[in-house]
Amino acid sequence: MKLQRMNRRVLALGALAASGALVLTACGSDDTSSGGGSSASATTGGSSIKCDNAKGQLLSDGSSAQKNAIDAWVANFSKACGVQINYKGGGSGAGVTSFTQGQLAFAGSDSALKPEDVTASKKVCTGGQGIDLPMVGGPLAVGYNLSGVSNLVLDAPTLAKIFNSKITKWNDPAIAKLNPSAKLPDLKIQAFHRSDESGSTDNFTKYLIATAKSDWPYSGGKAWQAKGGQAAAQSSGVAAQVKQTNGSIGYFELSYVTDGVNAVSINTGASAPVAPSSDSASKAIADAKVVGTGSDLSLQLNYGTKADGAYPITLVTYEIVCDKGNKADTLPATKAFLRYIASEQGQALLPGLKYAPIPADIIAKVRTTIEGLS
């Protein structure tokens, strides 16, 4: 067991180091062939990945929240199987649109397909339709940059007022009440949101709607609706703006919380405020219910949880693929890659990358569904 844990750590570190180079290679190559298509299992980092005749190149796009996980998975899978995977991470909206236009082998989205998306997908999924496969869980962090303040606590109504431009100073009484020992400056709050259509925006506003409706009078969705604030593209763009701007706040996946950015702990009404982490997100996602029908495995999350240690602002990223009617030239590689990332080995990488694995009972259904793709 010690050797197995060591191998996983080595594999995760190696994946992070190699992912950038491999993705750049995939983006810059015009070669759609591969010498790595093998029906046997390949070994990388001491672990086995089943290639199963996977070959060629896969184009994909979507959720930027899961991009750090995808990059690590791509590094391992490409090394083992020789398949090039170009995942752009241009946002959930871009991914779904490109998928329904037949441009991608699979897409990533932090929101499940809407009925109109399913209808559109039937035009490219011959005899089938697009389905949602939950693959990456994690907390959606509210990151901030405020000199001298490192343990900020906020609740849903206060967050709603901040992002709705109703609270504009860091020393506002509502923030001070939640942080009695903090030295809050008389400084303007600069709130950043996504400029592109995003599943992160959809999940963040679903949380506000569920827990602070009177302070967040919007219908929600992938597009930002509140007035005011400043915008940036993709999770990486919002995180970069927060990192370089004192007095700023924004929302993005926890893996984007780096030096210069702290994460807000949320007062949910539980015994103590909850910080975002893989464990606290897993506790919240464990309450999720499968609400999709047929092969679709879309989930309903409980944004209003008050369970001790459960972080309420969570998201699940879905890999979107045709249940039937996948293109013959990309189906073997698509199934092999999805099979790997849904495997115990693939899911084991997630906590080290600040994501949360999908609960065992749900990921078991994902694995069964992947085997039936055609």
Side-chain angles (χ1 to χ4, degrees):
M1 291 300 292
K2 291 182 179 178
L3 178 59
Q4 186 179 29
R5 287 195 294 269
M6 183 179 296
N7 282 337
R8 285 178 178 169
R9 293 190 188 101
V10 170
L11 183 60
L13 290 172
L16 285 171
S19 62
L22 280 164
V23 172
L24 286 173
T25 298
C27 292
S29 174
D30 293 325
D31 182 9
T32 58
S33 65
S34 170
S38 170
S39 60
S41 297
T43 300
T44 178
S47 299
S48 178
I49 294 177
K50 295 181 180 179
C51 299
D52 290 344
N53 294 311
K55 60 183 179 180
Q57 178 174 314
L58 297 181
L59 298 179
S60 185
D61 193 7
S63 164
S64 62
Q66 72 164 354
K67 192 173 188 306
N68 291 335
I70 289 287
D71 284 354
W73 282 331
V74 165
N76 288 343
F77 185 77
S78 295
K79 181 179 180 181
C81 303
V83 176
Q84 294 182 344
I85 301 178
N86 178 3
Y87 184 80
K88 296 180 181 179
S92 297
V96 172
T97 297
S98 294
F99 177 80
T100 57
Q101 292 175 348
Q103 299 173 9
L104 309 176
F106 69 93
S109 177
D110 306 321
S111 299
L113 292 168
K114 294 182 178 180
E116 57 267 31
D117 298 325
V118 174
T119 298
S121 73
K122 292 180 180 179
K123 297 178 182 179
V124 297
C125 302
T126 306
Q129 66 180 47
I131 57 172
D132 302 285
L133 301 178
M135 203 69 76
V136 181
L140 189 61
V142 180
Y144 70 98
N145 177 354
L146 187 60
S147 181
V149 180
S150 58
N151 295 297
L152 189 69
V153 175
L154 297 174
D155 58 13
T158 306
L159 276 171
K161 291 172 185 176
I162 288 172
F163 282 92
N164 198 27
S165 302
K166 300 300 183 182
I167 291 179
T168 60
K169 291 289 189 72
W170 278 109
N171 62 348
D172 187 275
I175 300 176
K177 183 177 180 180
L178 291 165
N179 300 272
S181 61
K183 295 181 179 180
L184 298 169
D186 183 13
L187 180 67
K188 179 182 178 181
I189 297 173
Q190 299 192 58
F192 286 89
H193 58 266
R194 290 283 289 271
S195 60
D196 53 323
E197 289 199 359
S198 160
S200 295
T201 293
D202 191 17
N203 282 274
F204 181 58
T205 55
K206 279 179 178 176
Y207 164 72
L208 296 178
I209 291 168
T211 55
K213 181 62 178 176
S214 61
D215 296 304
W216 192 258
Y218 304 102
S219 60
K222 293 179 182 178
W224 186 257
Q225 296 174 322
K227 296 180 181 179
Q230 301 181 62
Q234 304 170 13
S235 293
S236 57
V238 174
Q241 290 297 322
V242 171
K243 185 174 183 177
Q244 68 185 24
T245 309
N246 185 41
S248 61
I249 190 169
Y251 56 91
F252 33 80
E253 207 280 327
L254 182 60
S255 63
Y256 290 96
V257 175
T258 58
D259 292 343
V261 178
N262 292 303
V264 171
S265 293
I266 304 298
N267 183 340
T268 64
S271 60
V274 186
S277 69
S278 295
D279 288 342
S280 62
S282 292
K283 289 181 180 179
I285 295 172
D287 283 341
K289 297 180 180 179
V290 175
V291 293
T293 58
S295 299
D296 186 85
L297 296 174
S298 55
L299 304 176
Q300 183 179 68
L301 299 173
N302 180 13
Y303 296 101
T305 181
K306 295 183 179 180
D308 284 346
Y311 183 77
I313 318 176
T314 57
L315 59 77
V316 169
T317 300
Y318 302 95
E319 311 313 328
I320 296 169
V321 66
C322 297
D323 57 356
K324 299 177 182 178
N326 289 279
K327 295 178 181 178
D329 59 340
T330 59
L331 178 59
T334 300
K335 288 183 70 171
F337 181 65
L338 294 177
R339 182 184 294 119
Y340 160 59
I341 67 178
S343 70
E344 182 178 349
Q345 175 189 348
Q347 291 286 299
L349 287 181
L350 293 176
L353 300 172
K354 298 185 180 180
Y355 295 97
I358 299 300
D361 57 335
I362 298 175
I363 202 66
K365 295 177 182 178
V366 171
R367 292 167 185 158
T368 299
T369 302
I370 290 170
E371 296 308 317
L373 299 179
S374 64

